[in-house]
């Protein structure tokens, strides 16, 4: 990626963001104080309160056509059969037909958090560690900080008296941490309505790879999740009486699951690797300058168990090659002590992380065919079934397109460094939904660092990432408007 580009005169905007820093920190403090945990039915009113907090902020900043899209009743499993899904917040800023329209997506719900989980401070009372200039609290980095970052960009433009260089559409949801229920349908429904003029979608709901260098993310792996069900005896049996004289489901399951992947992480199912897109020289070069090391992997895993001894192999196996992980066995004895039971029915769970150009349905067929043949080899009288639980496709974009080029310029302008171009091993399914339903490209433009602890205790956002993140989001809109 070239570092040669024509700088835009954005210094007044950057200076205004710096001046508004105390107000922006206070805005985040107010948002963190609302415990908008989507997975806790008892806290659903707080999730709705967070939606209304955003609506009030949008009104104050001069957004128009603000809508709360109700999504109806939450499907089971739920305790309250009448539990309503939290609304999706839509708003517009500007509607100049001569300007490009950018949609920004974020979520206002958060993961559960309790002080007794091991937090050093109250999770819903934002704590500003002034010595290290870090903000602690649930949602600081995932995703309230980035969501408010877009609002802060508007406020800085308003204060300066500058016109926003694009029309901005916001789409904020309240169920991202609980499966984004209702969002896909809403995007499809509004593709030719509320979102009809959108030319580009930007999502700030991911993180830098490490802690020192900004990144732009152009790919995500998908995930196909499977289960193997083996049933034998009519009830759990005593191994002293039945051991050695009945076919044990657990023995069959261990045998079958042990054939799926080897100890080096190589998938043993024939045909999977044949579908993987070949590595091009251009893509391979993107890995050269990425700031990452085996030491960082060891620090992140808390062990020295890496299967690869160099940066490029680690990152390629995290981002562009498929992986198969064994997750657990339902129905088996898993407590402390020594229980001598033969389980009557066991369910083995595993998933495959998918990458370009793996076709999900073809993968299912390969998986089912292979596992069925492995079970047949056992000659077992037990009942056997393998099935798909859920799947989500991979996503990959062109890191050399207009929006990534604009984001690279914006990042260089703010951070004085060419960002690393990364992919991620996990999934953000909504990325693909926006791309397919709106027919536009999607950019992942992260604000936080790799050590922010998004779903963990002591979630944090460095003030420098919050403030420079706001500058980067705003600068991106300016560079993209000129692309």
């Amino acid at each position: 990626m070239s570092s040669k580009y024509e700088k835009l005169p954005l210094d007044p905007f950057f200076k205004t963001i710096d001046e508004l820093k105390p107000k922006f920190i206070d805005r985040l403090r107010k948002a963190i104080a609302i415990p908008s945990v989507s997975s806790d039915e008892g806290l659903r009113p707080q999730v709705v309160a967070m939606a209304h907090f955003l609506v009030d902020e949008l009104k104050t900043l001069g957004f128009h056509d603000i809508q709360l899209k109700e999504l109806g009743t939450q499907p089971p499993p739920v305790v309250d059969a009448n539990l309503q899904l939290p609304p999706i917040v839509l708003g517009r800023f500007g509607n100049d037909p001569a300007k490009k329209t950018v949609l920004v997506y974020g979520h206002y719900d958060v993961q559960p958090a309790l002080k007794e989980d091991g937090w050093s401070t109250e999770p819903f009372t934002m704590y500003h560690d002034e010595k290290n200039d870090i903000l602690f609290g649930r949602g600081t980095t995932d995703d309230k900080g980035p969501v408010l970052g877009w609002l802060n960009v508007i406020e800085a433009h308003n204060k300066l008296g500058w016109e926003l260089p694009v029309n901005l559409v916001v789409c904020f949801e309240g169920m991202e941490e609980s499966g984004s229920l209702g969002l896909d349908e809403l995007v499809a429904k509004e593709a030719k309505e509320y979102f009809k003029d959108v030319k580009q979608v930007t999502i700030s709901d991911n993180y830098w790879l490490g802690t020192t260098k900004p990144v732009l993310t152009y790919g995500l792996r998908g995930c196909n999740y499977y289960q193997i069900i083996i049933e034998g005896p009519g009830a759990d049996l005593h191994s002293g009486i039945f051991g050695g004289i009945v076919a044990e489901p657990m023995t069959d399951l261990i045998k079958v699951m042990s054939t799926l992947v080897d100890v080096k992480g190589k998938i043993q199912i024939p045909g999977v690797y044949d579908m993987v897109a070949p590595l091009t020289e251009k893509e391979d070069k993107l890995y050269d300058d990425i700031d990452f090391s085996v030491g960082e992997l060891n620090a992140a895993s808390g062990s020295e168990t890496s299967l690869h001894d160099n940066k490029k192999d680690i990152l390629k196996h995290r981002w562009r090659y498929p992986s198969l992980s064994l997750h657990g066995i339902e129905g088996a004895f898993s407590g402390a002590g020594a229980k001598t039971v033969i389980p009557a029915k066991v369910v083995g769970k595993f998933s495959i992380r998918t990458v370009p150009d793996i076709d999900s349905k073809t993968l299912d067929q390969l998986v089912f065919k292979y596992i069925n043949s492995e079970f047949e080899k056992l000659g077992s009288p037990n009942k056997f079934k393998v099935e798909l639980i859920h799947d989500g496709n991979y996503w990959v974009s062109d890191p050399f397109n207009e929006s990534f080029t604009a984001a690279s310029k914006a990042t260089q302008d703010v951070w004085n460094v060419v960002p690393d171009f990364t992919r991620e091993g996990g999934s953000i399914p909504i990325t693909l939904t926006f791309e397919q339903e709106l027919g536009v490209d999607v950019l992942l433009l992260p604000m936080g660092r790799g050590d922010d602890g998004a779903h963990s205790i002591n979630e944090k956002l460095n003030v420098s990432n919050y403030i420079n993140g706001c500058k980067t989001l705003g600068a991106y809109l300016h560079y993209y408007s000129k692309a």
Side-chain angles (χ1 to χ4, degrees), residues 155 179 275 278 329 361 412:
E155 179 152 1
M275 291 191 282
I329 298 175
K361 296 287 173 277
Q412 290 174 63

Side-chain angles (χ1 to χ4, degrees), residues 61-243:
L61 290 166
F63 278 74
H64 63 278
D65 195 11
I66 300 166
Q67 297 186 22
L68 280 177
K69 291 286 185 186
E70 297 297 340
L71 300 175
T73 309
Q74 184 166 330
V78 282
V79 176
D80 174 5
N82 298 312
L83 185 70
Q84 296 300 296
L85 287 164
I88 286 175
V89 179
L90 301 179
R92 299 182 192 281
F93 195 91
N95 56 356
D96 183 340
K99 292 177 181 174
K100 294 175 185 170
T101 298
V102 173
L103 183 151
V104 300
Y105 161 86
H107 65 91
Y108 61 83
D109 65 318
V110 295
Q111 284 280 326
L114 297 166
K115 178 82 161 34
E116 50 267 34
D117 294 338
W119 283 72
S120 302
T121 56
E122 287 294 339
F124 295 104
T125 304
M126 194 173 83
Y127 172 67
H128 186 178
D129 171 358
E130 295 191 12
K131 181 169 173 275
N132 297 301
D133 217 16
I134 299 173
L135 306 170
F136 289 93
R138 176 58 90 223
T140 46
T141 195
D142 183 21
D143 189 34
K144 290 180 179 180
V147 162
L148 297 184
W150 291 109
L151 308 193
N152 297 340
V153 165
I154 301 293
E155 179 152 1
H157 279 81
N158 289 350
K159 188 178 177 189
L160 267 173
W162 279 16
E163 251 189 59
L164 203 64
V166 300
N167 303 314
L168 198 69
V169 172
V170 298
C171 174
F172 300 141
E173 72 153 323
M175 280 298 279
E176 195 274 344
E177 301 292 7
S178 301
S180 289
L181 302 176
L183 182 62
D184 284 355
E185 294 79 2
L186 178 108
V187 173
K189 195 169 145 213
E190 299 296 338
K192 302 276 186 286
E193 301 293 329
Y194 203 97
F195 302 151
K196 72 174 185 293
D197 297 319
V198 169
K199 291 284 178 283
Q200 201 279 327
V201 174
T202 302
I203 298 176
S204 294
D205 187 22
N206 65 310
Y207 312 91
W208 293 359
L209 180 61
T211 58
T212 56
K213 196 174 180 188
V215 310
L216 300 174
T217 302
Y218 68 96
L220 300 160
R221 290 197 295 187
C223 183
N224 285 30
Y225 201 106
Y226 302 95
Q227 63 182 15
I228 299 168
I229 304 164
I230 301 184
E231 291 182 74
D236 287 358
L237 302 176
H238 188 302
S239 66
I241 300 167
F242 292 95

Side-chain angles (χ1 to χ4, degrees), residues 16-26 133 463 466-467:
T16 306
I17 294 256
D18 287 330
E19 287 165 6
L20 288 167
K21 181 162 98 172
K23 189 168 184 188
F24 293 166
I25 290 174
D26 194 52
D133 217 16
V463 172
Y466 184 39
I467 298 306

